[in-house]
Amino acid sequence: MQPIPANELLAGLTLAEPVSIHAVVTDSRKVEPGCVFVCFPGERVDGHTFAAGAYQNGAAYIIANHPVDGVPADRTVVVPDSALAMVRMASNYRMLFSPRIIGVTGSVGKTTTKEFCYAVLSAFGNTLKTEGNQNNEIGVPNTLFRLESATEYAVVEMGMDHAGEIERLTRCVRPSAGIITMIGVSHLENLGTRENILKAKMEICAGLPDGAPLVLNADNDLLPTAQVPGRLRAVWFGIEQEADVRAENIQTGAQGTTFTLVDREYGRFPVSIPTAGLHTVYDALSAYAAATRLGLDPANCAKALSRYQTTGMRQHIVERGGVTVIEDCYNASPDSMKAAISVLKALPNKRKIALLGDMLELGDASEEGHRHTGEWVAEAGVDTLIAYGPRSAVMAEAAQARGVTTVHCQKAQEVLQCLQQFVQPGDALLAKASHAMKLEDLLQDYYAGLPQA
């Protein structure tokens, strides 16, 4: 974070002195002289407990929900909502800089799309990106606080749980271009219908300037029904439907995917990406579309897609003990499950095993989503399904009814025993579930028992 006067950073929150602020932190262990410390109340840990210590260690101001003993009143900024205060400070800080920013949202594929955008933008100049899962009302400000004068480009991922959140974030980020990857069923528990999800994702328009490109998935069933404001430029990408940016001649396998990118405006380009699965082709297309409509050279944008690197356990294909493992443990929804199963199907391994766990936050669509997943497992020719968690019982029943060898596990130790029993060298294994199921820990325990190369 570059230094900013406190009266500018805290504008709209309090009257402050023009002392120099060097950081905004929410972790008391990261407090440094000249920082702003933001208190967040939590179920297990309340940041207000550490406020006095943060002040003693040099914090210039404390953002709190109430006065705190040990912190002078003139150094306490009392706010009703700490997250909204973070967004306000980040918006104030963002105004110091003028990089070209791509804002990414959608039900599925946000992180992969963000990484493709970073691969393209970083080929043209100094680029900032959202790290990890920093895509909410705390994470997005933390990303913006990393902006510097040298930052030429940025890609910011924006997630949400409720209506109104994307509008707040996009007004804060003020992107030069926006991407909506697709509208699925994630967050149905809070928003009720997919139409409400569409409306919430379209809030990204509120932060886009006049004439900005809004990149949309033409193959998604709901996005083409969206009312794009006339002041914005809709750019459509897809594979099945006619679109401004399309992919043809797609060839995918364990080592990656090649295709011909067809751009109505700029022509045809060969593309090679180090990912498997049609869903990653969509993500690559959207990144290319956004970057080129910001004025970057099309041929170099298409070439730069090959610079993509996976992050964490998201569609990460590794070899362990002779087993090809698709590590996809970060999150799950019916849409992303279907995509991951298609990757497993495309692998050349003779036997294919799926370890699939519960998908959370689906609300009333949970039973249907898990049942469809079991059906997709059968359609993909998966040999064995290891279903994990109470919600996955429906998935197991659907797969077993269609002839798939199926085991339903309720405990992690049962899953580990099934992996050791069913998976053999030469097999392909897909591991996917919502992050709360902690499949990444299960995989590490499984790997520990495999012969080391």
Side-chain angles (χ1 to χ4, degrees):
M1 182 176 182
Q2 290 190 181
I4 177 175
N7 58 324
E8 294 183 21
L9 180 68
L10 299 175
L13 298 175
T14 189
L15 295 175
E17 298 179 5
V19 297
S20 185
I21 301 298
H22 300 271
V24 176
V25 300
T26 59
D27 186 337
S28 61
R29 294 167 296 184
K30 297 180 179 179
V31 168
E32 59 184 61
C35 77
V36 170
F37 175 65
V38 186
C39 303
F40 279 91
E43 295 181 2
R44 292 182 295 177
V45 178
D46 187 343
H48 294 82
T49 305
F50 305 96
Y55 176 71
Q56 293 169 5
N57 289 332
Y61 285 91
I62 304 295
I63 305 289
N65 301 152
H66 52 74
V68 180
D69 290 340
V71 182
D74 64 345
R75 294 295 173 171
T76 306
V77 182
V78 178
V79 298
D81 189 318
S82 301
L84 296 186
M86 286 280 288
V87 171
R88 182 55 185 262
M89 287 188 290
S91 180
N92 293 339
Y93 183 75
R94 162 72 176 88
M95 292 177 68
L96 300 178
F97 309 98
S98 55
R100 281 183 275 184
I101 298 179
I102 298 176
V104 179
T105 193
S107 297
V108 178
K110 291 187 295 295
T111 298
T112 303
T113 298
K114 177 254 299 184
E115 293 297 334
F116 270 117
C117 288
Y118 178 75
V120 173
L121 295 176
S122 61
F124 292 88
N126 188 306
T127 304
L128 173 72
K129 69 173 179 176
T130 300
E131 297 291 351
N133 62 342
Q134 297 281 300
N135 65 6
N136 60 13
E137 291 177 324
I138 301 173
V140 169
N142 282 335
T143 298
L144 294 179
F145 289 138
R146 292 166 44 222
L147 285 169
E148 299 178 344
S149 297
T151 307
E152 299 172 81
Y153 304 97
V155 52
V156 180
E157 181 181 334
M158 296 180 287
M160 61 93 190
D161 291 315
H162 298 87
E165 292 178 359
I166 293 296
E167 179 170 354
R168 284 193 290 274
L169 293 178
T170 191
R171 287 188 183 278
C172 173
V173 173
R174 299 193 351 244
S176 314
I179 297 174
I180 302 179
T181 60
M182 67 168 297
I183 304 301
V185 296
S186 298
H187 308 304
L188 269 180
E189 192 170 31
N190 294 327
L191 292 168
T193 68
R194 291 182 66 225
E195 287 72 18
N196 286 341
I197 296 173
L198 171 63
K199 186 182 298 184
K201 297 299 185 182
M202 287 295 292
E203 291 172 7
I204 194 173
C205 298
L208 292 169
D210 290 351
L214 177 61
V215 178
L216 303 154
N217 188 336
D219 290 351
N220 184 246
D221 62 329
L222 274 186
L223 272 173
T225 71
Q227 298 298 310
V228 180
R231 64 183 187 82
L232 301 179
R233 178 187 179 191
V235 182
W236 297 93
F237 67 94
I239 298 173
E240 299 170 1
Q241 303 297 325
E242 285 299 314
D244 300 296
V245 176
R246 295 183 64 251
E248 294 180 351
N249 306 318
I250 302 169
Q251 302 292 327
T252 188
Q255 303 306 312
T257 303
T258 61
F259 60 91
T260 301
L261 189 152
V262 183
D263 186 335
R264 282 179 177 169
E265 192 166 338
Y266 298 117
R268 303 169 69 90
F269 306 96
V271 173
S272 176
I273 55 177
T275 59
L278 284 180
H279 58 295
T280 63
V281 175
Y282 282 105
D283 299 335
L285 290 175
S286 67
Y288 165 90
T292 54
R293 271 53 182 184
L294 286 180
L296 299 182
D297 179 73
N300 287 334
C301 286
K303 183 179 179 180
L305 292 170
S306 65
R307 295 159 51 102
Y308 169 89
Q309 294 182 349
T310 188
T311 60
M313 286 194 170
R314 291 181 176 90
Q315 285 290 315
H316 190 211
I317 301 178
V318 299
E319 293 286 335
R320 293 288 186 271
V323 180
T324 303
V325 185
I326 307 170
E327 299 175 338
D328 200 353
C329 307
Y330 182 73
N331 219 333
S333 69
D335 301 298
S336 64
M337 279 287 196
K338 186 175 184 179
I341 291 167
S342 73
V343 176
L344 178 63
K345 179 180 180 180
L347 293 180
N349 307 67
K350 186 176 181 180
R351 283 196 346 129
K352 296 166 184 177
I353 297 171
L355 164 57
L356 306 180
D358 286 357
M359 296 175 283
L360 309 180
E361 298 185 4
L362 297 183
D364 292 340
S366 179
E367 181 174 342
E368 180 183 20
H370 285 87
R371 183 178 68 255
H372 284 326
T373 301
E375 294 168 353
W376 295 328
V377 164
E379 291 170 3
V382 172
D383 296 279
T384 302
L385 168 65
I386 303 170
Y388 175 37
R391 293 173 177 82
S392 294
V394 179
M395 180 198 306
E397 291 171 4
Q400 191 168 33
R402 288 160 178 78
V404 180
T405 300
T406 303
V407 181
H408 181 225
C409 303
Q410 294 282 10
K411 297 180 180 180
Q413 189 58 38
E414 294 177 299
V415 175
L416 186 59
Q417 291 173 353
C418 286
L419 289 174
Q420 294 167 342
Q421 176 183 351
F422 290 108
V423 183
Q424 303 170 8
D427 291 348
L429 170 66
L430 165 65
K432 187 170 181 63
S434 285
H435 194 232
M437 299 303 292
K438 298 184 177 181
L439 285 194
E440 67 273 21
D441 295 338
L442 268 169
L443 283 181
Q444 294 307 320
D445 291 340
Y446 169 64
Y447 294 158
L450 293 176
Q452 302 300 310

